[in-house]
Every structure is written in structure tokens, then in C-alpha cells.
CSV table of all heavy atoms in Angstrom, one decimal:
chain,number,residue,atom,x,y,z
B,1,ASP,N,-0.1,-29.4,34.2
B,1,ASP,CA,-1.2,-30.4,34.2
B,1,ASP,C,-2.3,-30.2,33.4
B,1,ASP,O,-3.2,-31.1,33.2
B,1,ASP,CB,-1.6,-30.6,35.6
B,1,ASP,CG,-0.5,-31.1,36.6
B,1,ASP,OD1,0.3,-31.8,36.1
B,1,ASP,OD2,-0.6,-30.6,37.8
B,2,VAL,N,-2.3,-29.0,32.6
B,2,VAL,CA,-3.4,-28.7,31.7
B,2,VAL,C,-3.2,-29.4,30.4
B,2,VAL,O,-2.2,-29.2,29.7
B,2,VAL,CB,-3.6,-27.2,31.5
B,2,VAL,CG1,-4.8,-27.0,30.6
B,2,VAL,CG2,-3.8,-26.6,32.9
B,3,THR,N,-4.2,-30.3,30.0
B,3,THR,CA,-4.0,-31.0,28.7
B,3,THR,C,-5.1,-30.8,27.8
B,3,THR,O,-6.2,-30.3,28.3
B,3,THR,CB,-3.9,-32.6,29.0
B,3,THR,OG1,-5.1,-33.0,29.8
B,3,THR,CG2,-2.7,-32.9,29.8
B,4,PRO,N,-5.0,-30.9,26.5
B,4,PRO,CA,-6.0,-30.6,25.6
B,4,PRO,C,-7.2,-31.5,25.8
B,4,PRO,O,-7.0,-32.6,26.5
B,4,PRO,CB,-5.4,-30.9,24.2
B,4,PRO,CG,-4.0,-30.8,24.4
B,4,PRO,CD,-3.7,-31.2,25.8
B,5,HIS,N,-8.4,-31.2,25.3
B,5,HIS,CA,-9.6,-31.9,25.6
B,5,HIS,C,-9.5,-33.3,25.1
B,5,HIS,O,-9.8,-34.3,25.7
B,5,HIS,CB,-10.8,-31.3,24.8
B,5,HIS,CG,-12.0,-32.0,24.9
B,5,HIS,ND1,-12.9,-31.8,26.0
B,5,HIS,CD2,-12.6,-32.9,24.1
B,5,HIS,CE1,-14.0,-32.6,25.9
B,5,HIS,NE2,-13.9,-33.2,24.8
B,6,ASP,N,-9.0,-33.5,23.8
B,6,ASP,CA,-8.9,-34.9,23.2
B,6,ASP,C,-8.0,-35.7,24.0
B,6,ASP,O,-8.2,-37.0,24.2
B,6,ASP,CB,-8.4,-34.8,21.8
B,6,ASP,CG,-9.6,-34.2,20.9
B,6,ASP,OD1,-10.6,-34.2,21.3
B,6,ASP,OD2,-9.2,-33.7,19.8
B,7,GLU,N,-6.8,-35.2,24.6
B,7,GLU,CA,-5.9,-36.0,25.4
B,7,GLU,C,-6.6,-36.4,26.7
B,7,GLU,O,-6.4,-37.5,27.2
B,7,GLU,CB,-4.6,-35.2,25.6
B,7,GLU,CG,-3.5,-36.0,26.4
B,7,GLU,CD,-2.3,-35.2,26.5
B,7,GLU,OE1,-2.1,-34.2,25.8
B,7,GLU,OE2,-1.5,-35.6,27.3
B,8,ARG,N,-7.3,-35.4,27.3
B,8,ARG,CA,-7.9,-35.7,28.5
B,8,ARG,C,-9.1,-36.9,28.3
B,8,ARG,O,-9.3,-37.6,29.3
B,8,ARG,CB,-8.7,-34.5,29.2
B,8,ARG,CG,-7.7,-33.5,29.7
B,8,ARG,CD,-8.4,-32.4,30.5
B,8,ARG,NE,-9.0,-31.5,29.5
B,8,ARG,CZ,-10.2,-31.2,29.4
B,8,ARG,NH1,-11.1,-31.9,30.2
B,8,ARG,NH2,-10.7,-30.3,28.6
B,9,GLN,N,-9.6,-36.8,27.2
B,9,GLN,CA,-10.6,-38.0,26.9
B,9,GLN,C,-9.8,-39.3,27.0
B,9,GLN,O,-10.5,-40.3,27.3
B,9,GLN,CB,-11.2,-37.8,25.5
B,9,GLN,CG,-12.3,-36.8,25.6
B,9,GLN,CD,-13.0,-36.8,24.2
B,9,GLN,OE1,-12.4,-36.7,23.1
B,9,GLN,NE2,-14.3,-36.7,24.3
B,10,ARG,N,-8.6,-39.4,26.6
B,10,ARG,CA,-7.9,-40.6,26.6
B,10,ARG,C,-7.2,-40.9,27.9
B,10,ARG,O,-6.4,-41.9,28.0
B,10,ARG,CB,-6.7,-40.5,25.5
B,10,ARG,CG,-7.2,-40.4,24.1
B,10,ARG,CD,-6.2,-40.6,23.1
B,10,ARG,NE,-5.2,-39.6,23.1
B,10,ARG,CZ,-5.2,-38.5,22.4
B,10,ARG,NH1,-6.3,-38.3,21.6
B,10,ARG,NH2,-4.3,-37.6,22.5
B,11,GLN,N,-7.5,-40.1,28.9
B,11,GLN,CA,-6.8,-40.2,30.3
B,11,GLN,C,-8.0,-40.3,31.3
B,11,GLN,O,-8.1,-39.4,32.1
B,11,GLN,CB,-5.9,-39.1,30.6
B,11,GLN,CG,-4.8,-39.1,29.6
B,11,GLN,CD,-3.9,-37.9,29.8
B,11,GLN,OE1,-4.0,-37.2,30.8
B,11,GLN,NE2,-2.9,-37.7,29.1
B,12,PRO,N,-8.8,-41.4,31.3
B,12,PRO,CA,-9.9,-41.4,32.3
B,12,PRO,C,-9.5,-41.3,33.8
B,12,PRO,O,-10.2,-40.8,34.6
B,12,PRO,CB,-10.6,-42.8,31.9
B,12,PRO,CG,-9.6,-43.5,31.3
B,12,PRO,CD,-8.7,-42.6,30.5
B,13,ASP,N,-8.3,-41.9,34.0
B,13,ASP,CA,-7.9,-41.8,35.5
B,13,ASP,C,-7.6,-40.4,35.9
B,13,ASP,O,-7.9,-40.1,37.0
B,13,ASP,CB,-6.6,-42.7,35.7
B,13,ASP,CG,-6.8,-44.2,35.5
B,13,ASP,OD1,-8.0,-44.6,35.7
B,13,ASP,OD2,-5.9,-44.9,35.2
B,14,GLN,N,-7.0,-39.7,34.9
B,14,GLN,CA,-6.7,-38.3,35.3
B,14,GLN,C,-8.0,-37.5,35.4
B,14,GLN,O,-8.2,-36.7,36.3
B,14,GLN,CB,-5.8,-37.6,34.2
B,14,GLN,CG,-5.6,-36.1,34.5
B,14,GLN,CD,-4.7,-35.6,33.4
B,14,GLN,OE1,-4.1,-36.3,32.6
B,14,GLN,NE2,-4.9,-34.2,33.2
B,15,GLN,N,-9.0,-37.8,34.5
B,15,GLN,CA,-10.3,-37.2,34.6
B,15,GLN,C,-11.0,-37.4,35.9
B,15,GLN,O,-11.5,-36.5,36.5
B,15,GLN,CB,-11.2,-37.7,33.6
B,15,GLN,CG,-11.0,-37.1,32.2
B,15,GLN,CD,-12.1,-37.5,31.3
B,15,GLN,OE1,-12.8,-38.5,31.4
B,15,GLN,NE2,-12.3,-36.8,30.2
B,16,ARG,N,-10.9,-38.7,36.4
B,16,ARG,CA,-11.7,-38.9,37.8
B,16,ARG,C,-10.9,-38.2,38.8
B,16,ARG,O,-11.5,-37.9,39.9
B,16,ARG,CB,-11.6,-40.4,37.9
B,16,ARG,CG,-12.6,-41.1,37.1
B,16,ARG,CD,-12.8,-42.6,37.6
B,16,ARG,NE,-11.6,-43.4,37.4
B,16,ARG,CZ,-11.4,-44.1,36.3
B,16,ARG,NH1,-12.4,-44.1,35.4
B,16,ARG,NH2,-10.3,-44.8,36.1
B,17,ALA,N,-9.7,-37.9,38.7
B,17,ALA,CA,-8.9,-37.1,39.8
B,17,ALA,C,-9.1,-35.7,39.8
B,17,ALA,O,-8.7,-35.0,40.7
B,17,ALA,CB,-7.3,-37.4,39.6
B,18,GLU,N,-9.6,-35.2,38.6
B,18,GLU,CA,-9.8,-33.7,38.6
B,18,GLU,C,-11.0,-33.3,39.3
B,18,GLU,O,-12.0,-34.0,39.3
B,18,GLU,CB,-9.9,-33.3,37.2
B,18,GLU,CG,-8.6,-33.4,36.3
B,18,GLU,CD,-8.8,-33.0,34.9
B,18,GLU,OE1,-10.0,-32.8,34.5
B,18,GLU,OE2,-7.9,-32.9,34.2
B,19,ALA,N,-11.0,-32.2,40.0
B,19,ALA,CA,-12.1,-31.5,40.6
B,19,ALA,C,-12.9,-30.7,39.6
B,19,ALA,O,-12.5,-30.6,38.5
B,19,ALA,CB,-11.7,-30.7,41.8
B,20,ALA,N,-14.0,-30.2,40.0
B,20,ALA,CA,-14.8,-29.4,39.1
B,20,ALA,C,-14.2,-28.0,38.8
B,20,ALA,O,-13.6,-27.5,39.6
B,20,ALA,CB,-16.3,-29.2,39.7
B,21,ARG,N,-14.5,-27.6,37.6
B,21,ARG,CA,-14.0,-26.2,37.2
B,21,ARG,C,-14.9,-25.2,37.9
B,21,ARG,O,-16.0,-25.4,38.3
B,21,ARG,CB,-14.2,-26.0,35.7
B,21,ARG,CG,-13.3,-26.9,35.0
B,21,ARG,CD,-13.4,-26.7,33.5
B,21,ARG,NE,-12.6,-27.6,32.7
B,21,ARG,CZ,-12.8,-27.8,31.4
B,21,ARG,NH1,-13.6,-27.1,30.7
B,21,ARG,NH2,-12.0,-28.6,30.7
B,22,GLY,N,-14.4,-23.9,37.9
B,22,GLY,CA,-15.2,-22.9,38.6
B,22,GLY,C,-15.0,-21.5,38.0
B,22,GLY,O,-14.0,-21.0,37.9
B,23,GLU,N,-16.1,-21.1,37.3
B,23,GLU,CA,-16.1,-19.7,36.9
B,23,GLU,C,-17.6,-19.3,37.0
B,23,GLU,O,-18.5,-20.1,36.8
B,23,GLU,CB,-15.7,-19.6,35.4
B,23,GLU,CG,-14.2,-19.8,35.1
B,23,GLU,CD,-13.5,-18.5,35.8
B,23,GLU,OE1,-14.1,-17.5,35.9
B,23,GLU,OE2,-12.2,-18.8,36.1
B,24,VAL,N,-17.9,-18.0,37.3
B,24,VAL,CA,-19.3,-17.5,37.4
B,24,VAL,C,-19.8,-17.3,35.9
B,24,VAL,O,-19.1,-16.6,35.2
B,24,VAL,CB,-19.3,-16.1,38.2
B,24,VAL,CG1,-20.7,-15.7,38.2
B,24,VAL,CG2,-18.8,-16.6,39.5
B,25,ALA,N,-20.9,-17.9,35.6
B,25,ALA,CA,-21.5,-17.8,34.3
B,25,ALA,C,-22.3,-16.5,34.2
B,25,ALA,O,-22.8,-16.0,35.1
B,25,ALA,CB,-22.4,-19.0,34.1
B,26,ASP,N,-22.3,-16.0,32.9
B,26,ASP,CA,-23.0,-14.8,32.7
B,26,ASP,C,-24.5,-15.2,32.6
B,26,ASP,O,-24.8,-16.4,32.6
B,26,ASP,CB,-22.7,-14.2,31.4
B,26,ASP,CG,-21.4,-13.3,31.5
B,26,ASP,OD1,-21.0,-12.9,32.6
B,26,ASP,OD2,-20.7,-13.1,30.4
B,27,GLY,N,-25.4,-14.2,32.6
B,27,GLY,CA,-26.8,-14.6,32.5
B,27,GLY,C,-27.2,-15.1,31.0
B,27,GLY,O,-26.4,-15.0,30.1
B,28,VAL,N,-28.3,-15.6,30.9
B,28,VAL,CA,-28.8,-16.0,29.5
B,28,VAL,C,-29.9,-15.1,29.1
B,28,VAL,O,-30.5,-14.5,29.9
B,28,VAL,CB,-29.3,-17.5,29.5
B,28,VAL,CG1,-28.0,-18.4,29.9
B,28,VAL,CG2,-30.3,-17.7,30.6
B,29,VAL,N,-30.1,-15.1,27.8
B,29,VAL,CA,-31.1,-14.2,27.2
B,29,VAL,C,-32.4,-15.0,27.1
B,29,VAL,O,-32.4,-16.0,26.5
B,29,VAL,CB,-30.6,-13.7,25.9
B,29,VAL,CG1,-31.7,-12.9,25.2
B,29,VAL,CG2,-29.4,-12.9,26.0
B,30,VAL,N,-33.4,-14.4,27.6
B,30,VAL,CA,-34.8,-15.1,27.5
B,30,VAL,C,-35.7,-14.0,27.0
B,30,VAL,O,-35.8,-13.0,27.6
B,30,VAL,CB,-35.3,-15.7,28.7
B,30,VAL,CG1,-36.7,-16.3,28.4
B,30,VAL,CG2,-34.4,-16.7,29.3
B,31,ALA,N,-36.3,-14.1,25.8
B,31,ALA,CA,-37.1,-13.1,25.3
B,31,ALA,C,-38.6,-13.5,25.8
B,31,ALA,O,-38.9,-14.7,25.8
B,31,ALA,CB,-37.2,-13.1,23.7
B,32,HIS,N,-39.4,-12.5,26.1
B,32,HIS,CA,-40.6,-12.7,26.8
B,32,HIS,C,-41.8,-12.6,25.9
B,32,HIS,O,-43.0,-12.9,26.3
B,32,HIS,CB,-40.8,-11.8,28.0
B,32,HIS,CG,-39.8,-12.1,29.0
B,32,HIS,ND1,-39.6,-13.2,29.8
B,32,HIS,CD2,-38.7,-11.4,29.4
B,32,HIS,CE1,-38.6,-13.1,30.6
B,32,HIS,NE2,-38.0,-12.0,30.3
B,33,GLU,N,-41.6,-12.1,24.7
B,33,GLU,CA,-42.7,-11.9,23.8
B,33,GLU,C,-43.2,-13.2,23.3
B,33,GLU,O,-42.5,-14.1,23.0
B,33,GLU,CB,-42.3,-11.0,22.6
B,33,GLU,CG,-43.4,-10.8,21.6
B,33,GLU,CD,-42.8,-10.1,20.3
B,33,GLU,OE1,-41.7,-9.8,20.3
B,33,GLU,OE2,-43.6,-9.9,19.4
B,34,ASP,N,-44.5,-13.4,23.2
B,34,ASP,CA,-45.1,-14.7,22.7
B,34,ASP,C,-45.5,-14.5,21.2
B,34,ASP,O,-46.4,-13.7,21.0
B,34,ASP,CB,-46.3,-15.1,23.6
B,34,ASP,CG,-46.8,-16.4,23.2
B,34,ASP,OD1,-46.0,-17.1,22.5
B,34,ASP,OD2,-47.9,-16.8,23.6
B,35,ARG,N,-44.9,-15.2,20.4
B,35,ARG,CA,-45.2,-15.1,18.9
B,35,ARG,C,-45.7,-16.4,18.3
B,35,ARG,O,-45.1,-17.5,18.7
B,35,ARG,CB,-44.0,-14.6,18.1
B,35,ARG,CG,-44.3,-14.5,16.6
B,35,ARG,CD,-43.1,-14.1,15.8
B,35,ARG,NE,-42.5,-12.9,16.5
B,35,ARG,CZ,-41.2,-12.6,16.4
B,35,ARG,NH1,-40.4,-13.3,15.8
B,35,ARG,NH2,-40.7,-11.5,16.9
B,36,ARG,N,-46.7,-16.5,17.7
B,36,ARG,CA,-47.3,-17.7,17.2
B,36,ARG,C,-46.5,-18.1,15.9
B,36,ARG,O,-45.8,-17.3,15.2
B,36,ARG,CB,-48.8,-17.6,16.7
B,36,ARG,CG,-49.7,-17.3,18.0
B,36,ARG,CD,-51.1,-17.0,17.5
B,36,ARG,NE,-51.7,-18.0,16.7
B,36,ARG,CZ,-52.2,-19.1,17.2
B,36,ARG,NH1,-52.4,-19.2,18.5
B,36,ARG,NH2,-52.7,-20.1,16.5
B,37,VAL,N,-46.7,-19.4,15.5
B,37,VAL,CA,-46.0,-19.8,14.2
B,37,VAL,C,-46.8,-19.2,13.1
B,37,VAL,O,-48.0,-18.9,13.1
B,37,VAL,CB,-46.2,-21.4,14.2
B,37,VAL,CG1,-45.5,-21.9,12.8
B,37,VAL,CG2,-45.5,-22.0,15.3
B,38,ASP,N,-46.0,-18.8,12.0
B,38,ASP,CA,-46.7,-18.1,10.9
B,38,ASP,C,-47.8,-19.0,10.3
B,38,ASP,O,-47.8,-20.2,10.4
B,38,ASP,CB,-45.7,-17.9,9.8
B,38,ASP,CG,-44.8,-16.8,10.0
B,38,ASP,OD1,-44.7,-16.4,11.2
B,38,ASP,OD2,-44.0,-16.4,9.1
B,39,GLU,N,-48.9,-18.3,9.7
B,39,GLU,CA,-49.9,-19.0,9.1
B,39,GLU,C,-49.3,-19.8,7.9
B,39,GLU,O,-48.4,-19.4,7.2
B,39,GLU,CB,-50.9,-18.0,8.5
B,39,GLU,CG,-51.7,-17.3,9.6
B,39,GLU,CD,-52.8,-16.4,8.9
B,39,GLU,OE1,-53.1,-16.6,7.7
B,39,GLU,OE2,-53.4,-15.7,9.7
B,40,GLY,N,-49.8,-21.0,7.8
B,40,GLY,CA,-49.3,-21.8,6.7
B,40,GLY,C,-48.1,-22.7,7.1
B,40,GLY,O,-47.7,-23.6,6.5
B,41,VAL,N,-47.6,-22.4,8.4
B,41,VAL,CA,-46.5,-23.2,8.9
B,41,VAL,C,-47.0,-24.3,9.9
B,41,VAL,O,-46.4,-25.4,10.0
B,41,VAL,CB,-45.4,-22.4,9.6
B,41,VAL,CG1,-44.4,-23.2,10.3
B,41,VAL,CG2,-44.8,-21.5,8.5
B,42,ALA,N,-48.0,-24.1,10.5
B,42,ALA,CA,-48.5,-24.8,11.6
B,42,ALA,C,-48.7,-26.3,11.2
B,42,ALA,O,-48.4,-27.3,11.9
B,42,ALA,CB,-49.9,-24.4,12.3
B,43,ARG,N,-49.4,-26.5,10.1
B,43,ARG,CA,-49.7,-27.9,9.7
B,43,ARG,C,-49.5,-28.1,8.2
B,43,ARG,O,-50.3,-28.4,7.5
B,43,ARG,CB,-51.1,-28.4,10.1
B,43,ARG,CG,-51.4,-28.2,11.5
B,43,ARG,CD,-52.8,-28.7,11.8
B,43,ARG,NE,-53.0,-30.1,11.5
B,43,ARG,CZ,-52.6,-31.1,12.4
B,43,ARG,NH1,-52.0,-30.8,13.5
B,43,ARG,NH2,-52.7,-32.4,12.1
């Protein structure tokens, strides 16, 4: 029942019948240092 993305786009009835996918996502990277825009770039 697994079809390529483009084919699933052409099958809206099948899309509505599918349930949600499930996988645990990894974390995302957030850097905490605050850096200003370089001089000469701001305006």
C-alpha cells in the first residue's frame, strides 16, 4: 500500500484514509550565543 509521494498526491481519497505517521524526532540544534549583525550590514 506504500506509494511514492507524487502518486499519493494524485490519490486524495487514499490520502484521507491514511492515518498519521509516527516516528520519534531527534532534537534540534539551537545556538544560544547572541551575535549582532556586522557593522556595515545593518542599514
Side-chain angles (χ1 to χ4, degrees):
D1 293 328
V2 179
T3 55
H5 177 88
D6 290 340
E7 183 177 348
R8 285 187 286 115
Q9 284 186 311
R10 296 191 294 270
Q11 300 176 3
D13 292 336
Q14 177 181 338
Q15 278 190 338
R16 287 192 290 268
E18 292 178 350
R21 298 178 181 171
E23 287 292 338
V24 178
D26 285 338
V28 293
V29 175
V30 183
H32 298 289
E33 178 188 358
D34 184 20
R35 181 183 304 156
R36 294 174 60 86
V37 182
D38 284 12
E39 291 186 11
V41 170
R43 302 184 63 83

